[in-house]
Amino acid sequence: MKSFINEKTGVFPSVCPLDCPDQCGLLLHKEDGRITKVNGDPNHPVTKGNICNKVRNMTHRIYDDKRLKYPLRRVGKKGGGSFERISWQEAIDAITCRWKEIIKEEGPESILPYSFYGNMGNINAEGMDRRFFHRLGASLLDRTICNSAGSAGYRYTMGGSFGIDPEDTVHSKLIIFWGINAVSTNMHQISLAQKARKNGAKIVVIDVHKNQTGRFADWFIPIKPGTDAALALGMMHILFKENRVDEDFLADYTVGHEELRKHVEQYDLKTVSAITGVPSEDIRKLARLYGETTPAFIRIGNGPQHHDNGGMCIRTISCLPALTGQWLHKGGGATKGNSSFLAFNSSKLQRPDLLADKNTRRINMNHLGKVLLESKLEPPVKSLYVYGSNPAVVAPQLNKVRKGLLRDDLFTVVHDLFLTETAKYADIVLPATSSFENTDFYTSYWHHYIQIQQPVIEAYGESKSNTEVFRLLAEGMGFEESELKASDEEMIRDALNEPINSYMEDISFEKLRDHQYLKSNKKPLFPGKLPTPSGKIELYSEAMKKDGYEPLPTYIPLVEEEHPFLFVPGPNHNFLNSTFSNNEKHIELEKEPSVHLNKKDADAIGIQHGELVKLWNERGECHLKANVGDNVLPGVVVSQGLWADTPDKKQLVNSLTPDRLSDMGGGAVFFSGKVSVGKIKKNNA
């Protein structure tokens, strides 16, 4: 395995580790063993040297003075943030000794891992950790906080995470960005759209907020949160009614088109307009534009799936390309994600066979607060091990989570680069390496390239990678299985040993190591057979019916809450979830947290632009600066970004979000909460 650590000066290939669809190729500039500059790799076929400010300023993060250098043990009150330095041996002994006691008293399920993709490297995010916790017998975590609802809905229609190749979207003549602020979260799809626009493409954005992507559009369509499925069904109504569908494609490549044709008769323009807030004539105009333009491409975003009806919403939108036969045209179709093209051998990597009790319980990560406070849970969660995530900021119903983290009988370990908000509640804190210090491989969930990361710099201080720490924990627990001693290279080889996925058949460890990035085999979806029960696009799904869902795309209203405003806490431009929110450079770029209100609502409440306002519900309270205008519809308020906890400010938006689960996939419903908004009295500011 290559390593660039010993080469003190030069320019070295790398890959962006952030949980972002673009997964850029990078070039790291080193002087005297230290990264001095992060550039994009101009030779990468998709990202072509362009990178965002988050990554361009990555050196401010990896060399931040606040970065953890050595293990810490809590001293004083839990949550007080006071720690003392200890050695790695002391840390491993403290963890494993406590876990052995907990297992003896309560059983292994009383230990809960909590992680997500703070680092998208596959072996660090879902490799040795899974092997270790499977062998330990800990509770299994359903990692559903991000895209699980939409993935489930899309899978019912298409059989997996299959979309068009982003590189083909330069040929699109109509591009619809649906519920995605791509300027901030998928910038290279914007670059491709700009090329398509120069070739005559029209760009439409459908969203609840006229953000940077909305301002980029030729036509921005504001919509009420959680009503996207109704708009898609209204489009279908017009497409069928005006004979703007591709009958041959429907006959050859779909099932259920006749049932759908009858079903959408109820979604007339007047009905859909009342639901969505989109004028009837705009619905008709959009449907006709979609019906008469080929190739047409829909980029389906994460936003609409973060609702009570999120799975059905994405399932509904994903049916649209089939109606007009877009999948047969280069540049036509849709993309929710593309991870199925790069699906590796997760069983060989994660080794679920190491789990002795196949009935081990599963805990949904969106219910963390509920689980930590649940008195009747058997066995109770007695230990929490957090890595690659910061639940004290990112988890829904945050006040409940933080109350649970304060439990004196909860033994918490956090492995991170910084003393995060979650780490301040920990008993043991472990310093983590950055991705540039690790060996790993990366698979994009948007473009079709797999990439490798070979270490470029030495580990910072005494920091260690996830894989190294779990090997140490396995040794400390006395586990002897060879799978828990495997090297990083051996785990990558295990993952790439995937005989089932034909899209990966030409990719080997040696080729990846030598070429830095490789593309999956490019095979058109059609003509071909999808991995759905019928082998076709399922407009009517017997599988959904069997699973207890409506088999046809359907609009389902959101859960009612007794507050006047729908609250959508979307992503901002310079953070990625809570990552970068504690770094001064990125805070300087993003400036300050705010909330967008419609001018009519602001006038009714007596709120002025720039004024600090209070948002509240039964879950919590948040103070944000008012951004008054016409960027959102009346009755909707939108904030952007997960800001770091600040003692003198109430800016944690997830203190307001519900911990209900979405209709399918067990996903989070961050965007289906409601709030009240009001002025802050002087003595309450």
Side-chain angles (χ1 to χ4, degrees), residues 66-199:
K66 298 189 293 293
R67 191 170 164 192
L68 294 170
K69 298 180 177 68
Y70 38 76
L72 302 171
R73 175 168 49 208
R74 175 173 64 87
V75 292
K77 187 179 179 181
K78 177 166 279 198
S82 295
F83 297 89
E84 64 179 2
R85 180 177 181 174
I86 59 174
S87 69
W88 267 101
Q89 190 59 57
E90 288 176 302
I92 296 298
D93 288 346
I95 297 167
T96 55
C97 286
R98 184 71 187 105
W99 279 354
K100 288 174 184 177
E101 292 173 359
I102 289 172
I103 291 170
K104 186 176 181 180
E105 294 167 1
E106 302 283 359
E109 287 181 310
S110 59
I111 299 170
L112 176 66
Y114 189 99
S115 72
F116 206 64
Y117 293 91
N119 176 351
M120 288 293 290
N122 288 302
I123 66 168
N124 278 277
E126 52 182 86
M128 189 58 75
D129 62 319
R130 303 295 206 277
R131 295 183 182 196
F132 173 79
F133 285 117
H134 284 147
R135 171 61 180 85
L136 188 71
S139 288
L140 300 169
L141 184 73
D142 279 335
R143 293 169 172 85
T144 56
I145 203 167
C146 184
N147 68 340
S148 61
S151 295
Y154 194 89
R155 186 166 54 249
Y156 279 123
T157 303
M158 297 293 294
S161 186
F162 298 103
I164 73 170
D165 187 337
E167 293 176 86
D168 288 345
T169 61
V170 295
H171 304 290
S172 305
K173 294 303 179 185
L174 172 64
I175 297 177
I176 301 176
F177 288 100
W178 200 319
I180 178 172
N181 184 6
V183 170
S184 296
T185 65
N186 191 190
M187 62 175 283
H188 295 91
Q189 185 62 76
I190 292 291
S191 298
L192 294 164
Q194 286 174 319
K195 291 181 179 179
R197 177 186 263 163
K198 289 179 181 178
N199 293 326

Side-chain angles (χ1 to χ4, degrees), residues 422-676:
T422 307
K424 290 176 183 177
Y425 291 89
D427 298 284
I428 300 290
V429 179
L430 306 175
T433 50
S434 74
S435 65
F436 300 152
E437 299 152 45
N438 296 341
T439 298
D440 219 321
F441 79 104
Y442 291 77
T443 48
S444 172
Y445 52 86
W446 171 64
H447 62 64
H448 291 195
Y449 289 85
I450 182 172
Q451 304 181 74
I452 196 166
Q453 175 67 62
Q454 298 166 100
V456 176
I457 52 175
E458 293 181 353
Y460 186 85
E462 296 179 12
S463 61
K464 296 183 185 297
S465 68
N466 283 347
T467 56
E468 188 174 1
V469 172
F470 284 112
R471 281 190 282 263
L472 291 173
L473 289 170
E475 183 180 357
M477 292 299 296
F479 298 157
E480 295 295 331
E481 288 82 357
S482 60
E483 296 87 351
L484 301 175
K485 301 175 183 179
S487 69
D488 293 348
E489 179 179 326
E490 288 172 327
M491 283 191 289
I492 296 174
R493 288 182 180 276
D494 284 341
L496 296 182
N497 180 14
E498 174 51 283
I500 297 175
N501 184 1
S502 62
Y503 292 101
M504 290 274 282
E505 62 188 6
D506 292 333
I507 293 174
S508 67
F509 174 81
E510 286 76 16
K511 288 181 181 179
L512 186 58
R513 178 194 60 199
D514 294 342
H515 292 89
Q516 185 63 25
Y517 45 79
L518 295 169
K519 189 172 187 179
S520 63
N521 293 334
K522 189 169 183 178
K523 302 174 184 177
L525 290 176
F526 303 99
K529 188 175 182 180
L530 294 177
T532 57
S534 65
K536 299 182 178 184
I537 298 173
E538 302 214 334
L539 305 176
Y540 179 100
S541 170
E542 283 290 348
M544 293 188 75
K545 185 176 180 180
K546 182 180 178 182
D547 292 341
Y549 302 112
E550 291 292 330
L552 288 163
T554 304
Y555 167 67
I556 302 167
L558 301 181
V559 173
E560 283 295 326
E561 291 190 3
E562 293 183 0
H563 292 274
F565 294 97
L566 273 162
F567 176 52
V568 179
N572 62 18
H573 195 67
N574 292 293
F575 307 159
L576 204 157
N577 297 322
S578 68
T579 302
F580 302 113
S581 67
N582 66 326
N583 301 119
E584 291 180 8
K585 179 63 178 181
H586 294 82
I587 294 172
E588 176 189 326
L589 291 168
E590 195 60 32
K591 296 184 175 62
E592 61 183 343
S594 65
V595 60
H596 294 263
L597 293 89
N598 187 275
K599 190 176 187 306
K600 292 180 180 178
D601 292 329
D603 289 346
I605 303 170
I607 290 172
Q608 301 295 316
H609 179 78
E611 185 177 8
L612 196 67
V613 298
K614 177 173 71 171
L615 288 72
W616 77 93
N617 56 25
E618 64 280 358
R619 293 179 285 269
E621 182 178 315
C622 199
H623 297 176
L624 302 171
K625 186 168 284 190
N627 191 326
V628 177
D630 60 357
N631 288 333
V632 296
L633 292 173
V636 179
V637 292
V638 173
S639 71
Q640 290 182 283
L642 297 178
W643 290 75
D645 196 2
T646 304
D648 59 339
K649 296 179 181 178
K650 293 183 177 180
Q651 55 189 32
L652 297 172
V653 295
N654 277 326
S655 63
L656 303 169
T657 53
D659 62 358
R660 299 190 299 269
L661 300 182
S662 59
D663 54 347
M664 57 186 77
V669 298
F670 289 117
F671 298 169
S672 283
K674 298 189 82 172
V675 299
S676 293

Side-chain angles (χ1 to χ4, degrees), residues 291-309:
E292 66 193 20
T293 308
T294 297
F297 165 60
I298 303 176
R299 177 64 173 100
I300 307 173
N302 271 356
Q305 73 178 339
H306 286 313
H307 283 292
D308 298 308
N309 57 15

Side-chain angles (χ1 to χ4, degrees), residues 175-177 180 203-207 211 213-214 217 219-222:
I175 297 177
I176 301 176
F177 288 100
I180 178 172
I203 296 171
V204 176
V205 172
I206 303 167
D207 214 320
N211 46 41
T213 308
W219 182 19
F220 173 69
I221 303 174

Side-chain angles (χ1 to χ4, degrees), residues 248-267:
D248 289 339
F249 186 90
L250 290 173
D252 291 343
Y253 298 111
T254 76
V255 294
H257 56 95
E258 290 301 334
E259 294 93 329
L260 182 63
R261 189 188 308 265
K262 180 70 175 175
H263 175 69
V264 299
E265 289 178 2
Q266 65 188 292
Y267 294 98

